[in-house]
Every structure is written in C-alpha cells, then in structure tokens.
C-alpha cells in the first residue's frame, strides 16, 4: 500500500513540477503514473548499485552526491520513456530531484507519522 502511495505521490509531483519548469515536460497524468512506476523500478534495481559505486564521493560530500544519483535516475527514466517525460538538461534533472526529495520528505513525515492526531 505504501509503495503504491509513493508512486501516486511522485506522479502528482511530476505533474506539479512540470507546470513550474519549461524544461521539464510530462504528457498528462497517465504518463506521470507510468514514469513514476518506472522510476520506482529503477530506484529498486539500479540505484543501490550506483550508490555503492559512488560511496567514496558520497562520503566525501557528506551525502549530497545522492542528489546527483537521484538526478541520474530521473534522466534514465526520461531516456526509457521519452514519449511520456522529457527533461531538457542535467541541471533541470538535478533541480527536480532536489525538489522531489524535499517534497517526499515532508509528505512522508505527515502521512506516515506514528503519532495520533
């Protein structure tokens, strides 16, 4: 359930962020859901390998290189799904990765907190 919610949250973020940036294009909400699903699959399969390979750089930058790895995941998603999502440059992918990470952190802390409200 949590994984599906994460895919839907990322799809909503894709659509919202594509409205703010001219260099980031998403073809409708269906395309955003497909892109979010592929991003989740890439994050499960490829991201751990990239994080291990870039571990020395990640330690040196105190974890900030993780945003670069996230941007590479977005670029890979754009490469595989060019019909649904287009990112015009790596700088845009880096900015989108940063904003999506921050938004996911806030949304997950609100949705999945253990405290009663």
């Amino acid at each position: 359930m949590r994984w599906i919610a994460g895919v839907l949250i990322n799809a909503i973020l894709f659509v919202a962020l594509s409205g703010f940036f001219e260099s980031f294009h998403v073809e409708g909400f269906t395309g955003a859901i497909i892109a979010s699903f592929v991003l989740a699959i890439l994050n499960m399969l490829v991201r751990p390998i990239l994080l291990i390979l870039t571990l020395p750089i990640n330690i040196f930058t105190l974890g900030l290189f993780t945003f670069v790895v996230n941007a590479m995941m977005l670029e890979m998603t754009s490469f595989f799904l060019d019909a649904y999502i287009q990112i015009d440059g790596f700088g845009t992918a880096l900015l989108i990765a940063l904003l999506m990470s921050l938004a996911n952190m806030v949304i997950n802390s609100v949705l999945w907190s253990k405290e009663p409200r």
Side-chain angles (χ1 to χ4, degrees), residues 51-107:
L51 286 175
I52 290 171
L53 290 175
T54 61
L55 188 62
I57 299 169
N58 218 345
I59 290 171
F60 184 69
T61 61
L62 302 175
L64 291 177
F65 195 77
T66 306
F67 292 119
V68 175
V69 173
N70 290 344
M72 287 191 285
M73 294 292 98
L74 284 173
E75 286 283 347
M76 268 196 251
T77 304
S78 175
F79 175 76
F80 290 129
L81 297 175
D82 195 42
Y84 296 114
I85 183 172
Q86 295 92 29
I87 301 173
D88 291 344
F90 190 75
T92 303
L94 191 61
L95 185 60
I96 296 296
L98 176 72
L99 292 174
M100 284 186 68
S101 296
L102 291 174
N104 273 316
M105 183 178 62
V106 170
I107 291 168

Side-chain angles (χ1 to χ4, degrees), residues 6 19 28 35 41-43 46-47 53 57 66 91-92 104 109 115 117:
I41 298 296
L42 286 172
N43 279 338
V46 178
R47 188 171 183 259
L53 290 175
I57 299 169
T66 306
T92 303
N104 273 316
S109 70
E115 299 174 10
R117 294 177 193 179

